[in-house]
Coordinates of all heavy atoms in Angstrom, one line a residue:
M1 N -16.3 -0.3 -14.8 CA -15.1 -0.3 -15.6 C -13.9 -0.9 -14.8 O -13.8 -0.6 -13.6 CB -14.7 1.2 -15.9 CG -13.5 1.4 -16.7 SD -13.0 3.1 -16.9 CE -14.0 3.5 -18.3
K2 N -13.2 -1.9 -15.4 CA -12.2 -2.5 -14.6 C -10.9 -1.6 -14.6 O -10.7 -0.8 -15.5 CB -11.8 -3.8 -15.4 CG -12.8 -4.9 -15.2 CD -12.4 -6.2 -15.9 CE -13.4 -7.3 -15.7 NZ -13.2 -8.4 -16.6
F3 N -10.1 -1.8 -13.5 CA -9.0 -0.9 -13.3 C -8.0 -1.0 -14.5 O -7.5 0.1 -14.9 CB -8.2 -1.3 -12.0 CG -7.1 -0.4 -11.7 CD1 -7.3 1.0 -11.5 CD2 -5.8 -0.9 -11.6 CE1 -6.3 1.8 -11.2 CE2 -4.7 0.0 -11.3 CZ -5.0 1.3 -11.1
K4 N -7.9 -2.2 -15.1 CA -6.9 -2.3 -16.2 C -7.4 -1.5 -17.5 O -6.6 -1.2 -18.4 CB -6.6 -3.7 -16.5 CG -7.8 -4.5 -17.1 CD -7.4 -5.9 -17.4 CE -8.6 -6.7 -17.9 NZ -8.4 -8.0 -18.3
N5 N -8.7 -1.2 -17.5 CA -9.3 -0.5 -18.6 C -9.2 1.0 -18.5 O -9.5 1.8 -19.4 CB -10.7 -0.9 -18.9 CG -10.9 -2.3 -19.3 OD1 -9.9 -2.9 -19.8 ND2 -12.0 -2.9 -19.0
I6 N -8.8 1.5 -17.3 CA -8.7 2.9 -17.0 C -7.3 3.4 -17.6 O -6.3 2.8 -17.3 CB -8.7 3.2 -15.5 CG1 -10.1 2.8 -14.9 CG2 -8.4 4.7 -15.2 CD1 -10.2 2.9 -13.4
T7 N -7.4 4.4 -18.4 CA -6.2 4.9 -19.1 C -5.5 5.9 -18.2 O -6.1 6.5 -17.3 CB -6.5 5.5 -20.4 OG1 -7.3 6.7 -20.2 CG2 -7.2 4.5 -21.4
D8 N -4.2 6.2 -18.5 CA -3.5 7.3 -17.9 C -4.2 8.6 -18.0 O -4.3 9.4 -17.1 CB -2.1 7.4 -18.4 CG -1.2 6.2 -18.1 OD1 -1.7 5.3 -17.3 OD2 -0.1 6.1 -18.6
Q9 N -4.8 8.8 -19.2 CA -5.5 10.0 -19.5 C -6.7 10.2 -18.6 O -7.0 11.2 -18.1 CB -5.9 10.0 -21.0 CG -6.5 11.3 -21.5 CD -5.5 12.5 -21.4 OE1 -4.3 12.3 -21.3 NE2 -6.1 13.7 -21.3
N10 N -7.4 9.0 -18.4 CA -8.6 9.1 -17.5 C -8.2 9.6 -16.1 O -8.8 10.4 -15.5 CB -9.2 7.7 -17.3 CG -9.9 7.1 -18.5 OD1 -9.9 5.9 -18.7 ND2 -10.4 7.9 -19.3
L11 N -7.0 9.0 -15.6 CA -6.6 9.4 -14.3 C -6.1 10.8 -14.2 O -6.3 11.5 -13.2 CB -5.5 8.4 -13.8 CG -6.0 7.0 -13.5 CD1 -4.8 6.1 -13.3 CD2 -6.9 7.0 -12.3
K12 N -5.5 11.3 -15.3 CA -5.0 12.7 -15.4 C -6.2 13.6 -15.3 O -6.2 14.6 -14.6 CB -4.2 12.9 -16.6 CG -2.8 12.5 -16.5 CD -2.0 12.7 -17.8 CE -0.7 12.0 -17.8 NZ 0.0 11.9 -19.1
V13 N -7.2 13.3 -16.1 CA -8.4 14.2 -16.2 C -9.1 14.2 -14.8 O -9.5 15.2 -14.3 CB -9.4 13.7 -17.3 CG1 -10.8 14.3 -17.1 CG2 -8.8 13.9 -18.6
L14 N -9.2 13.0 -14.2 CA -9.8 12.9 -12.8 C -9.0 13.7 -11.8 O -9.6 14.5 -11.1 CB -9.8 11.4 -12.4 CG -10.4 11.1 -11.0 CD1 -11.9 11.4 -11.1 CD2 -10.2 9.6 -10.7
Y15 N -7.7 13.6 -11.9 CA -6.9 14.4 -10.9 C -7.1 15.9 -11.1 O -7.4 16.6 -10.1 CB -5.4 14.0 -11.2 CG -4.4 14.9 -10.4 CD1 -4.2 14.7 -9.0 CD2 -3.8 16.0 -11.0 CE1 -3.4 15.5 -8.3 CE2 -3.0 16.8 -10.3 CZ -2.8 16.6 -8.9 OH -1.9 17.4 -8.2
Y16 N -7.0 16.4 -12.3 CA -7.1 17.8 -12.6 C -8.5 18.3 -12.3 O -8.7 19.4 -11.7 CB -6.7 18.2 -14.0 CG -5.2 18.2 -14.1 CD1 -4.5 17.2 -14.9 CD2 -4.4 19.0 -13.4 CE1 -3.2 17.2 -15.1 CE2 -3.0 19.0 -13.5 CZ -2.4 18.1 -14.3 OH -1.0 18.0 -14.4
T17 N -9.5 17.5 -12.6 CA -10.9 17.9 -12.3 C -11.2 18.0 -10.8 O -11.7 19.0 -10.3 CB -11.9 16.8 -12.9 OG1 -11.6 16.7 -14.3 CG2 -13.4 17.3 -12.7
L18 N -10.7 17.0 -10.1 CA -10.9 17.1 -8.6 C -10.1 18.2 -8.0 O -10.6 18.9 -7.1 CB -10.4 15.7 -8.0 CG -11.3 14.5 -8.3 CD1 -10.6 13.2 -7.9 CD2 -12.6 14.6 -7.5
F19 N -8.9 18.4 -8.5 CA -8.0 19.5 -8.0 C -8.7 20.8 -8.2 O -8.7 21.7 -7.4 CB -6.6 19.4 -8.6 CG -5.6 20.1 -7.8 CD1 -5.0 19.6 -6.7 CD2 -5.2 21.4 -8.2 CE1 -4.1 20.3 -5.9 CE2 -4.3 22.1 -7.5 CZ -3.7 21.5 -6.3
D20 N -9.2 21.0 -9.5 CA -9.8 22.3 -9.9 C -11.0 22.6 -9.0 O -11.4 23.7 -8.8 CB -10.2 22.3 -11.4 CG -8.9 22.4 -12.2 OD1 -7.9 22.8 -11.7 OD2 -9.0 22.2 -13.4
K21 N -11.7 21.5 -8.6 CA -13.0 21.7 -7.8 C -12.6 21.9 -6.3 O -13.5 21.9 -5.5 CB -13.9 20.4 -7.9 CG -14.3 20.1 -9.4 CD -15.6 20.8 -9.7 CE -16.0 20.5 -11.1 NZ -16.8 21.5 -11.7
G22 N -11.3 21.9 -6.0 CA -10.9 22.1 -4.6 C -10.9 20.9 -3.8 O -10.7 21.0 -2.6
N23 N -11.0 19.7 -4.4 CA -11.0 18.5 -3.6 C -9.6 17.8 -3.7 O -9.4 16.8 -4.4 CB -12.1 17.5 -4.2 CG -12.3 16.3 -3.3 OD1 -11.5 16.0 -2.4 ND2 -13.4 15.6 -3.5
S24 N -8.7 18.5 -3.0 CA -7.3 18.0 -3.1 C -7.1 16.6 -2.5 O -6.2 15.9 -2.9 CB -6.4 19.0 -2.4 OG -6.7 19.2 -1.1
V25 N -7.9 16.3 -1.5 CA -7.8 14.9 -0.9 C -8.1 13.8 -1.9 O -7.3 12.9 -2.0 CB -8.7 14.8 0.4 CG1 -8.7 13.4 1.0 CG2 -8.3 15.8 1.5
S26 N -9.2 14.0 -2.6 CA -9.5 13.0 -3.6 C -8.6 13.0 -4.8 O -8.3 12.0 -5.4 CB -11.0 13.1 -4.1 OG -11.9 12.9 -3.0
A27 N -8.1 14.2 -5.1 CA -7.2 14.4 -6.2 C -5.9 13.6 -5.9 O -5.3 12.9 -6.8 CB -6.8 15.9 -6.4
E28 N -5.5 13.7 -4.6 CA -4.3 12.9 -4.2 C -4.5 11.4 -4.4 O -3.6 10.7 -4.7 CB -4.1 13.3 -2.7 CG -2.6 13.1 -2.2 CD -1.7 14.0 -2.8 OE1 -2.0 15.2 -3.1 OE2 -0.5 13.6 -2.9
K29 N -5.7 11.0 -4.1 CA -6.0 9.5 -4.3 C -5.9 9.1 -5.7 O -5.5 8.0 -6.1 CB -7.4 9.2 -3.7 CG -7.4 9.3 -2.2 CD -8.8 9.0 -1.6 CE -8.8 9.1 -0.1 NZ -10.1 9.0 0.5
A30 N -6.4 10.0 -6.6 CA -6.3 9.8 -8.1 C -4.8 9.7 -8.5 O -4.4 8.8 -9.3 CB -7.0 10.8 -8.9
L31 N -4.0 10.6 -7.9 CA -2.6 10.5 -8.2 C -1.9 9.2 -7.7 O -1.1 8.6 -8.4 CB -1.9 11.8 -7.5 CG -0.4 12.0 -7.8 CD1 -0.2 12.2 -9.3 CD2 0.1 13.2 -7.0
D32 N -2.4 8.8 -6.5 CA -1.9 7.5 -5.9 C -2.2 6.4 -6.9 O -1.4 5.5 -7.1 CB -2.5 7.2 -4.6 CG -1.9 8.0 -3.4 OD1 -0.8 8.5 -3.7 OD2 -2.5 8.0 -2.3
L33 N -3.4 6.4 -7.4 CA -3.8 5.3 -8.4 C -2.9 5.4 -9.6 O -2.5 4.3 -10.1 CB -5.3 5.6 -8.8 CG -6.4 4.9 -8.0 CD1 -7.7 5.3 -8.6 CD2 -6.2 3.4 -7.9
Y34 N -2.6 6.6 -10.1 CA -1.8 6.8 -11.3 C -0.4 6.2 -11.0 O 0.2 5.5 -11.8 CB -1.7 8.3 -11.6 CG -0.8 8.6 -12.8 CD1 -1.3 8.4 -14.1 CD2 0.5 9.0 -12.6 CE1 -0.4 8.7 -15.2 CE2 1.3 9.3 -13.7 CZ 0.9 9.1 -15.0 OH 1.7 9.4 -16.0
I35 N 0.2 6.5 -9.8 CA 1.5 6.0 -9.5 C 1.5 4.5 -9.4 O 2.4 3.8 -9.9 CB 2.0 6.7 -8.2 CG1 2.2 8.2 -8.5 CG2 3.3 6.0 -7.7 CD1 2.5 9.0 -7.2
K36 N 0.4 3.9 -8.7 CA 0.3 2.5 -8.6 C 0.3 1.8 -10.0 O 0.9 0.8 -10.3 CB -0.9 2.1 -7.9 CG -0.8 2.2 -6.4 CD -2.1 1.8 -5.7 CE -2.1 2.1 -4.2 NZ -3.4 1.9 -3.6
K37 N -0.5 2.4 -10.9 CA -0.6 1.9 -12.3 C 0.8 2.0 -13.0 O 1.2 1.0 -13.7 CB -1.6 2.7 -13.0 CG -2.1 2.1 -14.3 CD -3.4 2.8 -14.8 CE -3.9 2.1 -16.0 NZ -3.1 2.2 -17.2
E38 N 1.5 3.1 -12.8 CA 2.8 3.3 -13.5 C 3.7 2.2 -13.0 O 4.5 1.7 -13.7 CB 3.3 4.7 -13.1 CG 2.8 5.8 -13.9 CD 3.3 5.7 -15.4 OE1 4.6 5.9 -15.6 OE2 2.5 5.5 -16.3
N39 N 3.7 2.0 -11.7 CA 4.6 1.0 -11.0 C 4.2 -0.4 -11.2 O 4.8 -1.4 -10.7 CB 4.8 1.3 -9.5 CG 5.5 2.6 -9.3 OD1 6.2 3.1 -10.2 ND2 5.3 3.2 -8.1
K40 N 3.0 -0.6 -11.8 CA 2.4 -2.0 -12.0 C 2.3 -2.6 -10.6 O 2.6 -3.8 -10.4 CB 3.2 -2.8 -12.9 CG 3.1 -2.3 -14.4 CD 3.8 -3.3 -15.3 CE 3.6 -3.0 -16.8 NZ 3.7 -1.7 -17.3
A41 N 1.9 -1.8 -9.6 CA 1.9 -2.3 -8.2 C 0.7 -3.2 -8.0 O -0.4 -2.9 -8.6 CB 1.9 -1.2 -7.2
F42 N 0.8 -4.2 -7.2 CA -0.3 -5.1 -6.8 C -0.2 -5.2 -5.3 O 0.8 -5.7 -4.7 CB -0.1 -6.5 -7.5 CG -1.2 -7.4 -7.1 CD1 -2.5 -7.3 -7.6 CD2 -1.0 -8.5 -6.2 CE1 -3.5 -8.2 -7.3 CE2 -2.0 -9.4 -5.9 CZ -3.2 -9.2 -6.4
Y43 N -1.3 -4.8 -4.6 CA -1.3 -4.7 -3.2 C -2.1 -5.8 -2.6 O -3.3 -6.0 -3.0 CB -1.8 -3.3 -2.7 CG -0.8 -2.2 -2.9 CD1 -0.7 -1.6 -4.1 CD2 0.0 -1.8 -1.9 CE1 0.2 -0.6 -4.3 CE2 0.9 -0.8 -2.0 CZ 1.0 -0.2 -3.3 OH 1.9 0.8 -3.5
L44 N -1.6 -6.5 -1.6 CA -2.4 -7.4 -0.8 C -2.4 -6.8 0.7 O -1.3 -6.5 1.2 CB -1.7 -8.8 -0.7 CG -1.8 -9.6 -2.0 CD1 -1.0 -10.9 -1.8 CD2 -3.3 -10.0 -2.3
S45 N -3.6 -6.7 1.2 CA -3.7 -6.1 2.6 C -4.2 -7.2 3.6 O -5.1 -8.0 3.2 CB -4.6 -5.0 2.6 OG -4.2 -4.0 1.7
F46 N -3.6 -7.2 4.8 CA -4.1 -8.1 5.8 C -4.5 -7.2 7.0 O -3.6 -6.4 7.4 CB -3.0 -9.0 6.3 CG -2.6 -10.0 5.2 CD1 -1.8 -9.7 4.2 CD2 -3.1 -11.3 5.3 CE1 -1.4 -10.6 3.2 CE2 -2.7 -12.3 4.4 CZ -1.9 -11.9 3.3
A47 N -5.7 -7.3 7.5 CA -6.1 -6.5 8.7 C -6.8 -7.5 9.6 O -7.4 -8.5 9.3 CB -7.1 -5.4 8.2
G48 N -6.6 -7.2 10.9 CA -7.3 -8.0 11.9 C -6.8 -7.6 13.3 O -5.9 -6.8 13.5
H49 N -7.4 -8.2 14.3 CA -7.0 -7.9 15.7 C -5.6 -8.3 15.9 O -5.0 -9.1 15.2 CB -7.9 -8.8 16.6 CG -9.2 -8.2 17.0 ND1 -9.3 -7.3 18.1 CD2 -10.4 -8.3 16.5 CE1 -10.5 -6.9 18.2 NE2 -11.2 -7.5 17.3
F50 N -5.0 -7.7 16.9 CA -3.6 -8.0 17.3 C -3.6 -9.5 17.7 O -4.5 -10.0 18.3 CB -3.0 -7.1 18.3 CG -3.6 -7.1 19.7 CD1 -3.3 -8.1 20.6 CD2 -4.5 -6.2 20.0 CE1 -3.8 -8.1 21.9 CE2 -5.1 -6.2 21.3 CZ -4.8 -7.2 22.2
S51 N -2.5 -10.2 17.4 CA -2.3 -11.6 17.7 C -3.3 -12.5 17.0 O -3.6 -13.6 17.6 CB -2.2 -11.8 19.2 OG -1.2 -11.1 19.7
A52 N -3.9 -12.1 16.0 CA -4.9 -12.9 15.3 C -4.1 -13.9 14.4 O -4.7 -14.9 13.9 CB -5.8 -12.1 14.4
G53 N -2.9 -13.7 14.1 CA -2.1 -14.6 13.2 C -1.7 -14.0 11.8 O -1.3 -14.7 11.0
K54 N -1.9 -12.7 11.7 CA -1.6 -12.1 10.4 C -0.1 -12.3 10.0 O 0.2 -12.7 8.9 CB -1.9 -10.5 10.4 CG -3.3 -10.2 10.7 CD -3.5 -8.7 10.8 CE -2.7 -8.0 11.9 NZ -3.1 -8.4 13.3
S55 N 0.8 -11.9 10.9 CA 2.2 -12.1 10.6 C 2.6 -13.5 10.3 O 3.4 -13.8 9.4 CB 3.1 -11.5 11.8 OG 2.8 -10.1 11.9
S56 N 2.0 -14.4 11.1 CA 2.3 -15.9 10.9 C 1.9 -16.3 9.5 O 2.6 -17.0 8.8 CB 1.6 -16.7 12.0 OG 1.9 -16.3 13.3
M57 N 0.7 -15.8 9.1 CA 0.2 -16.2 7.8 C 1.0 -15.6 6.7 O 1.4 -16.3 5.7 CB -1.3 -15.7 7.6 CG -1.8 -16.2 6.3 SD -3.5 -15.5 6.0 CE -4.4 -16.6 7.0
I58 N 1.5 -14.3 6.8 CA 2.3 -13.7 5.8 C 3.6 -14.4 5.7 O 4.1 -14.7 4.6 CB 2.5 -12.2 6.1 CG1 1.1 -11.5 5.9 CG2 3.5 -11.6 5.2 CD1 1.1 -10.1 6.5
N59 N 4.2 -14.8 6.8 CA 5.5 -15.5 6.8 C 5.3 -16.8 6.1 O 6.2 -17.3 5.3 CB 6.0 -15.8 8.3 CG 6.5 -14.5 8.9 OD1 6.8 -13.5 8.2 ND2 6.7 -14.5 10.2
Y60 N 4.2 -17.5 6.4 CA 3.9 -18.8 5.8 C 3.8 -18.7 4.3 O 4.4 -19.4 3.5 CB 2.7 -19.4 6.4 CG 2.3 -20.7 5.7 CD1 2.9 -21.9 6.1 CD2 1.3 -20.7 4.8 CE1 2.6 -23.1 5.5 CE2 0.9 -21.9 4.2 CZ 1.6 -23.1 4.5 OH 1.2 -24.3 3.9
L61 N 3.1 -17.6 3.8 CA 2.8 -17.4 2.4 C 4.1 -17.1 1.7 O 4.4 -17.4 0.5 CB 1.8 -16.3 2.2 CG 0.4 -16.6 2.6 CD1 -0.5 -15.4 2.5 CD2 -0.2 -17.8 1.8
L62 N 5.0 -16.3 2.4 CA 6.3 -15.9 1.8 C 7.4 -17.0 2.0 O 8.4 -17.0 1.4 CB 6.9 -14.7 2.4 CG 6.0 -13.4 2.2 CD1 6.6 -12.2 3.0 CD2 6.0 -13.0 0.7
D63 N 7.0 -18.1 2.8 CA 8.0 -19.1 3.1 C 9.3 -18.6 3.7 O 10.4 -19.1 3.3 CB 8.2 -20.0 1.8 CG 8.8 -21.4 2.2 OD1 8.7 -21.8 3.3 OD2 9.5 -22.0 1.3
K64 N 9.1 -17.5 4.5 CA 10.3 -16.9 5.1 C 9.8 -16.1 6.3 O 8.8 -15.5 6.3 CB 10.8 -15.9 4.0 CG 12.2 -15.4 4.2 CD 12.6 -14.6 3.0 CE 14.1 -14.1 3.1 NZ 14.5 -13.3 2.0
D65 N 10.6 -16.1 7.4 CA 10.2 -15.4 8.6 C 10.6 -13.9 8.4 O 11.6 -13.4 9.0 CB 10.9 -16.0 9.8 CG 10.2 -17.2 10.3 OD1 9.0 -17.4 9.9 OD2 10.8 -18.0 11.0
V66 N 9.8 -13.2 7.7 CA 10.0 -11.7 7.4 C 9.5 -10.9 8.6 O 10.2 -10.0 9.0 CB 9.3 -11.3 6.1 CG1 9.4 -9.8 6.0 CG2 9.9 -12.0 5.0
L67 N 8.4 -11.3 9.2 CA 7.8 -10.5 10.2 C 7.9 -11.2 11.6 O 7.8 -12.4 11.7 CB 6.3 -10.3 9.9 CG 6.0 -9.5 8.7 CD1 4.5 -9.5 8.4 CD2 6.4 -8.0 8.9
P68 N 8.1 -10.4 12.7 CA 8.1 -11.0 14.0 C 6.7 -11.5 14.4 O 5.7 -10.9 14.0 CB 8.6 -9.9 14.9 CG 8.2 -8.7 14.2 CD 8.2 -9.0 12.7
K69 N 6.6 -12.6 15.1 CA 5.3 -13.0 15.6 C 5.4 -13.3 17.1 O 6.4 -13.8 17.5 CB 4.8 -14.3 14.8 CG 5.7 -15.4 14.8 CD 5.2 -16.6 14.0 CE 6.2 -17.7 14.1 NZ 5.7 -18.9 13.4
S70 N 4.3 -13.0 17.7 CA 4.3 -13.1 19.2 C 2.9 -13.0 19.7 O 2.0 -12.4 19.1 CB 5.1 -11.9 19.8 OG 4.9 -11.7 21.1
P71 N 2.6 -13.6 20.9 CA 1.3 -13.5 21.4 C 1.0 -12.1 22.0 O -0.2 -11.7 22.2 CB 1.2 -14.5 22.6 CG 2.6 -15.0 22.8 CD 3.4 -14.6 21.6
I72 N 2.0 -11.3 22.2 CA 1.8 -9.9 22.6 C 1.9 -9.0 21.4 O 2.7 -9.3 20.5 CB 2.8 -9.4 23.7 CG1 4.2 -9.6 23.4 CG2 2.5 -10.1 25.1 CD1 5.2 -9.0 24.3
P73 N 1.2 -7.9 21.4 CA 1.3 -7.0 20.2 C 2.7 -6.6 19.8 O 3.5 -6.3 20.6 CB 0.5 -5.7 20.6 CG -0.4 -6.2 21.7 CD 0.3 -7.3 22.4
T74 N 3.0 -6.8 18.5 CA 4.4 -6.6 18.1 C 4.6 -5.3 17.3 O 5.0 -4.3 17.8 CB 4.9 -7.8 17.2 OG1 3.9 -8.2 16.4 CG2 5.4 -8.9 18.1
S75 N 4.1 -5.3 16.0 CA 4.3 -4.1 15.2 C 3.4 -3.0 15.6 O 3.8 -1.8 15.7 CB 4.2 -4.4 13.7 OG 3.0 -5.1 13.5
A76 N 2.1 -3.3 16.0 CA 1.1 -2.4 16.4 C 1.1 -1.1 15.5 O 0.9 0.0 16.0 CB 1.4 -1.9 17.9
N77 N 1.2 -1.3 14.3 CA 1.2 -0.2 13.3 C 1.0 -0.8 11.9 O 0.9 -2.0 11.7 CB 2.6 0.5 13.3 CG 2.4 2.0 13.2 OD1 1.6 2.4 12.4 ND2 3.0 2.8 14.0
I78 N 0.9 0.1 10.9 CA 0.8 -0.4 9.5 C 2.2 -0.8 9.1 O 3.1 0.0 9.2 CB 0.2 0.7 8.6 CG1 -1.2 1.0 9.1 CG2 0.3 0.3 7.2 CD1 -1.9 2.2 8.4
V79 N 2.3 -2.0 8.6 CA 3.6 -2.5 8.1 C 3.5 -2.8 6.6 O 2.5 -3.4 6.1 CB 4.0 -3.8 8.8 CG1 5.3 -4.4 8.3 CG2 4.1 -3.6 10.3
K80 N 4.5 -2.3 5.9 CA 4.5 -2.5 4.4 C 5.7 -3.3 4.0 O 6.8 -3.0 4.4 CB 4.5 -1.1 3.7 CG 4.3 -1.1 2.3 CD 4.2 0.3 1.7 CE 4.1 0.3 0.2 NZ 4.1 1.7 -0.3
I81 N 5.5 -4.3 3.2 CA 6.6 -5.2 2.8 C 6.7 -5.0 1.3 O 5.7 -5.2 0.6 CB 6.4 -6.7 3.1 CG1 6.1 -6.9 4.6 CG2 7.6 -7.5 2.7 CD1 5.6 -8.3 4.9
N82 N 7.9 -4.7 0.8 CA 8.2 -4.6 -0.6 C 9.2 -5.7 -1.0 O 10.0 -6.0 -0.2 CB 8.8 -3.3 -1.0 CG 7.8 -2.2 -1.1 OD1 6.6 -2.4 -1.3 ND2 8.2 -1.0 -0.9
S83 N 9.2 -6.1 -2.2 CA 10.3 -6.9 -2.7 C 11.4 -6.0 -3.2 O 11.2 -4.8 -3.3 CB 9.8 -7.8 -3.9 OG 9.4 -7.0 -4.9
G84 N 12.6 -6.5 -3.4 CA 13.7 -5.7 -3.9 C 14.8 -5.6 -2.8 O 14.9 -6.3 -1.8
Y85 N 15.8 -4.7 -3.1 CA 16.9 -4.5 -2.2 C 16.4 -3.8 -0.9 O 15.5 -3.0 -0.9 CB 18.0 -3.6 -2.9 CG 18.6 -4.2 -4.1 CD1 18.3 -3.8 -5.4 CD2 19.5 -5.3 -3.9 CE1 18.9 -4.4 -6.5 CE2 20.0 -5.9 -5.0 CZ 19.7 -5.5 -6.3 OH 20.3 -6.1 -7.4
G86 N 17.1 -4.1 0.2 CA 16.8 -3.5 1.5 C 17.1 -2.1 1.5 O 18.1 -1.6 1.0
V87 N 16.2 -1.3 2.2 CA 16.5 0.1 2.4 C 16.0 0.5 3.8 O 15.2 -0.2 4.4 CB 15.8 1.1 1.4 CG1 16.3 1.0 0.0 CG2 14.3 0.8 1.4
A88 N 16.5 1.6 4.3 CA 16.0 2.1 5.6 C 15.6 3.5 5.4 O 16.4 4.3 4.8 CB 17.1 2.0 6.7
R89 N 14.4 3.8 5.7 CA 13.9 5.2 5.6 C 13.5 5.7 7.0 O 12.8 5.1 7.7 CB 12.7 5.3 4.7 CG 13.0 5.0 3.2 CD 11.8 5.5 2.4 NE 12.1 5.1 1.0 CZ 11.6 4.0 0.4 NH1 10.8 3.2 1.0 NH2 11.9 3.8 -0.9
V90 N 14.0 6.9 7.3 CA 13.7 7.5 8.6 C 12.9 8.8 8.3 O 13.4 9.6 7.5 CB 15.0 7.9 9.4 CG1 14.7 8.5 10.7 CG2 15.9 6.6 9.6
Y91 N 11.8 8.9 8.9 CA 10.9 10.1 8.7 C 10.9 10.9 10.1 O 10.7 10.3 11.1 CB 9.5 9.7 8.4 CG 9.4 9.0 7.1 CD1 9.4 7.6 7.0 CD2 9.3 9.7 5.9 CE1 9.3 6.9 5.8 CE2 9.2 9.1 4.7 CZ 9.2 7.7 4.6 OH 9.1 7.1 3.4
F92 N 11.2 12.1 9.9 CA 11.2 13.0 11.1 C 9.9 13.8 11.1 O 9.2 14.0 10.1 CB 12.4 14.0 11.1 CG 13.7 13.3 11.2 CD1 14.4 13.0 10.0 CD2 14.2 12.9 12.4 CE1 15.6 12.3 10.1 CE2 15.4 12.2 12.5 CZ 16.1 11.9 11.4
N93 N 9.5 14.3 12.3 CA 8.2 15.0 12.4 C 8.3 16.4 11.8 O 7.2 16.9 11.4 CB 7.9 15.2 13.9 CG 7.3 13.9 14.5 OD1 6.8 13.0 13.8 ND2 7.6 13.7 15.8
H94 N 9.4 17.0 11.6 CA 9.5 18.3 11.1 C 10.3 18.3 9.8 O 11.1 17.4 9.5 CB 10.2 19.3 12.1 CG 11.5 18.7 12.6 ND1 11.5 17.8 13.7 CD2 12.8 18.9 12.3 CE1 12.8 17.5 14.0 NE2 13.6 18.2 13.1
Ligands
LIG1 N1 -2.9 -21.9 17.8 C1 -2.6 -21.1 16.8 N2 -1.7 -20.1 17.1 C2 -1.4 -19.2 16.1 C3 -1.9 -19.4 14.7 N3 -1.3 -18.4 14.0 C4 -0.6 -17.7 14.8 N4 -0.6 -18.2 16.0 C5 0.1 -17.6 17.2 O1 -0.6 -16.4 17.6 C6 0.4 -15.5 18.1 C7 0.2 -14.2 17.4 O2 0.5 -14.4 16.0 P1 1.0 -13.2 15.1 O3 1.3 -13.8 13.7 O4 2.2 -12.4 15.7 O5 -0.3 -12.3 15.0 P2 -0.5 -10.8 14.4 O6 -0.5 -9.8 15.6 O7 -1.9 -10.8 13.8 O8 0.5 -10.5 13.4 C8 1.8 -16.1 17.9 O9 2.2 -16.6 19.2 C9 1.6 -17.2 16.9 O10 2.5 -18.2 17.1 C10 -2.7 -20.5 14.5 O11 -3.2 -20.7 13.4 N5 -3.0 -21.3 15.5
LIG2 MG1 2.0 -8.9 13.4

């Protein structure tokens, strides 16, 4: 079944079924899918060794120097880029 053929109802049933069976981790994933579908989100992921050229390739594809690039590890973390207005979010541990 292709993702575009999955209805909101399918995802709701999946979420509640998983949740009722006590599988909250998978239920959360079904909810994530529902939110992605609602937002019409399309994700492209790049993974690879540090300094493999991921940031350089993303900058090239965007035709804009959005990400820093360097021979030494730079972001060393998961980086998410969104289109739209700039925002800053700060997450605290507690
Ligand atoms: N020779 C060569 N160097 C590259 C290429 N792509 C990236 N680099 C260089 O490799 C280094 C690491 O690149 P970067 O994009 O920061 O890698 P990332 O850690 O995977 O994001 C930088 O100094 C880049 O200039 C490439 O295709 N050829
Ligand atoms: Mg990088």
Side-chain angles (χ1 to χ4, degrees):
M1 183 185 274
K2 288 183 180 165
F3 185 59
K4 66 178 180 180
N5 296 333
I6 296 173
T7 64
D8 290 354
Q9 188 61 22
N10 291 149
L11 290 172
K12 281 180 193 168
V13 169
L14 183 63
Y15 172 79
Y16 285 114
T17 305
L18 290 167
F19 198 80
D20 287 345
K21 301 269 181 208
N23 191 345
S24 56
V25 173
S26 296
E28 202 69 30
K29 288 179 182 170
L31 185 62
D32 280 349
L33 272 179
Y34 178 79
I35 293 168
K36 281 180 187 171
K37 196 167 182 292
E38 278 292 295
N39 294 337
K40 294 184 170 44
F42 179 73
Y43 287 82
L44 286 174
S45 301
F46 293 78
H49 272 278
F50 64 82
S51 300
K54 301 178 296 295
S55 297
S56 305
M57 182 187 281
I58 292 165
N59 287 344
Y60 177 79
L61 293 172
L62 295 175
D63 198 20
K64 199 173 181 182
D65 281 342
V66 174
L67 295 170
K69 56 181 182 178
S70 162
I72 54 168
T74 41
S75 48
N77 219 315
I78 295 172
V79 176
K80 188 174 173 185
I81 306 170
N82 280 336
S83 60
Y85 294 109
V87 290
R89 291 196 182 97
V90 179
Y91 295 95
F92 295 99
N93 285 332
H94 49 278

